[in-house]
Amino acid sequence: MRSDNIKLGSEKAPMRALLKASGLTDKQLAKPIIGIVNSFNEVVPGHIHLNTIARAVKDGVLAAGGTPMEFNTIGVCDGIAMGHEGMKYSLCTREIIADSIECMVKAHCFDGLVFIPNCDKIVPGMLMAAVRLNIPAIFVSGGPMLSVRDEGGAYLDYNSVYEAVGAYKGGRITACELERIEESACPTCGSCSGMFTANSMNCLSEAVGIALPGNGTIPAVYSQRLRLAKMAGERIIDLVRQNICPRDIITERSVRNALAVDMALGCSTNTVLHLAAICYEAEIPFSLKLINEISEITPNLCKLAPAGVHHLQDLNRAGGVSAVMAELNKRGLIDTEVMTVSGTVGERIENAKVRDYSVIKPIDAPYSQTGGLAALFGNLAPNGAIVKRSAVRAEMLKFTGRARVFDSEEAAIAAIYGGEIKKGDVVVIRYEGPKGGPGMREMLSPTSAIAGMGLDADVALITDGRFSGATRGAAIGHVSPEAREGGPIAYVKEGDSITLDIPNYGITLNISGEELEKRKSQTTLKPLPDLKGYLKRYAAMVSSADKGAVFGK
């Protein structure tokens, strides 16, 4: 066992003495030592209950004959960090999480790991650590928040509050109605209840095979979630004894399975950023063109909030991720021979079935024949950009509009709420990329403002930043190269014509090549602010969005 490095032989007596100082007995030391990687904190609603999940995991480890030892990672709440300087510190924590786990695991020689994430950057940060370390591991998330029906008859979620702010600013609802939505939108602990980034990544953890069935969809407050956690704790002992490691599970084939599920579910655009980073750590080939390759053949089966009215509790009731994979497999879109933490994919989905075809559409009658995400290419984004096309209104799939250019999110929001954005505009927000932000902030505030003010059928938004999974509308993010790196988005001028052709994966700035080169020679790029601390190091090391915004080796 790996833990023999800290517990076997006379020369390890000092290490054993320290472990015994922590309360471990000789009998406990003789068993596999399992690291419980918990992201509990008292700030994030998706994480505030994770000590309960960790207790269940440890009970499972103990029942199966292991010795659990818990340690923690940080976790930022994207929702609380949204719309101010705090969002610069969201994506960049992904690298801190991966690095800190590596340090703890390498220093303490665990035999296996149970990861307990829940929200946006914590899931991919832990997945990056898992494939980097490549010792037996399993994931169990904290589960999604419930959505409840409010007095107005709608099932609300976190995004409902943002759109309500836009509606209030636009004079469409009263202050009392805004307060009512605020009180009702987030009724329980758990990751926010739509197919936002956290739930997207927790579902894809299940689809890629590193988590047990139900990981992505069982609500946080269900007792079934505790049973799942105990099962994960038990299962890690089997994985240790069989020496099944993350790179045995997360492979090029299983990533394709995950992308097929991504397309069927209509997941957050952030999944592309995170899958690219995970593949980078696992040394698996990945490119944005793979997104379109799989999207072309994979129907969109679900419209979960923000794309539709259903939430994660509905997907769970309809059969969950396993049912989605079983439906996709009717057309041979799932590799059933791929290994998971609990048998093959084929074994996992053999008895799975859709229990509600209003939530998971039949493979022969999908919402669309193509997937939920698309990568766009053109002279405005030579290295690509990403859009959640399943959340784009039909009339906006092909659209030409006039550019309204802003060098920060704050400037754009002020213009939207100030009534300066009109039908037919394309809001361009630049210098918000991984380097230019730095930190690649999510743009939920401006997209929700556009939707809340009733402009989502008439206004597009393009940015080198990124979007929350809660974003809907013609919102194109991850534009690469970013403005800070001299990408074409840096040279867009007020009033320029921009064309989106999402069905044909196109994004075009309607100027000549000669004019673009002229602008490059005449334009001075916006300098970075006077950065200090981690953001300064992050801006110096981070790659472009199309590469996953990773640190180079």
Side-chain angles (χ1 to χ4, degrees), residues 412-553:
I413 292 171
I416 296 166
Y417 284 145
E420 298 174 29
I421 304 304
K422 308 298 182 184
K423 293 182 178 181
D425 284 347
V426 179
V427 177
V428 178
I429 305 177
R430 60 192 179 192
Y431 294 105
E432 291 285 6
K435 285 184 179 293
M440 202 180 183
R441 290 193 289 179
E442 289 183 341
M443 303 289 160
L444 179 57
S445 295
T447 56
S448 296
I450 288 169
M453 296 181 77
L455 294 171
D456 56 309
D458 304 286
V459 171
L461 193 151
I462 297 172
T463 181
D464 52 6
R466 60 194 179 93
F467 296 110
S468 163
T471 288
R472 64 184 174 94
I476 292 84
H478 303 202
V479 170
S480 299
E482 62 175 290
R484 185 72 192 86
E485 296 278 86
I489 193 172
Y491 309 108
V492 179
K493 289 187 175 181
E494 189 81 7
D496 279 347
S497 171
I498 295 175
T499 295
L500 304 179
D501 187 355
I502 295 172
N504 293 303
Y505 308 110
I507 180 168
T508 305
L509 175 62
N510 296 310
I511 63 172
S512 66
E514 292 79 7
E515 173 63 18
L516 181 58
E517 291 304 314
K518 178 182 175 182
R519 292 184 185 183
K520 287 181 180 180
S521 67
Q522 295 176 345
T523 304
T524 301
L525 298 179
K526 178 183 175 183
L528 276 172
D530 183 22
L531 299 171
K532 293 178 173 59
Y534 180 56
L535 281 185
K536 183 174 185 178
R537 298 195 300 276
Y538 184 83
M541 294 187 289
V542 70
S543 75
S544 62
D546 62 300
K547 302 298 182 186
V550 295
F551 290 169
K553 284 188 170 66

Side-chain angles (χ1 to χ4, degrees), residues 83-258:
H84 57 91
E85 183 188 29
M87 183 46 69
K88 294 178 184 288
Y89 288 88
S90 171
L91 178 61
C92 66
T93 62
R94 190 187 66 183
E95 272 52 41
I96 293 176
I97 291 164
D99 290 349
S100 65
I101 294 168
E102 176 192 354
C103 293
M104 284 295 292
V105 173
K106 288 290 189 182
H108 300 112
C109 299
F110 298 107
D111 294 306
L113 300 168
V114 181
F115 290 90
I116 309 175
N118 212 29
C119 293
D120 293 30
K121 303 311 137 339
I122 297 89
V123 187
M126 288 188 175
L127 284 165
M128 291 163 67
V131 294
R132 184 189 299 177
L133 291 162
N134 202 36
I135 67 172
I138 190 169
F139 278 61
V140 57
S141 77
M145 187 182 289
L146 288 179
S147 172
V148 299
R149 193 192 298 268
D150 81 329
E151 295 173 10
Y155 282 91
L156 302 180
D157 54 60
Y158 165 69
N159 191 45
S160 305
V161 190
Y162 268 98
E163 295 195 2
V165 171
Y168 173 69
K169 294 276 190 180
R172 299 168 65 206
I173 65 171
T174 66
C176 288
E177 288 173 303
L178 175 60
E179 183 179 3
R180 173 179 58 79
I181 293 169
E182 175 188 329
E183 291 288 339
S184 305
C186 299
T188 72
C189 63
S191 49
C192 296
S193 56
M195 189 51 76
F196 311 146
T197 304
N199 293 325
S200 295
M201 291 305 302
N202 285 323
C203 286
L204 296 192
S205 296
E206 185 179 335
V208 83
I210 200 71
L212 293 171
N215 177 73
T217 60
I218 298 170
V221 294
Y222 283 14
S223 297
Q224 187 183 1
R225 174 64 55 180
L226 295 178
R227 297 197 296 273
L228 184 74
K230 290 178 182 178
M231 291 167 60
E234 293 174 350
R235 185 60 190 151
I236 188 59
I237 302 301
D238 295 327
L239 296 173
V240 168
R241 288 172 177 157
Q242 297 167 36
N243 197 33
I244 297 174
C245 299
R247 291 199 191 191
D248 299 321
I249 294 166
I250 299 178
T251 65
E252 190 169 353
R253 292 165 64 188
S254 69
V255 168
R256 292 183 72 93
N257 276 351

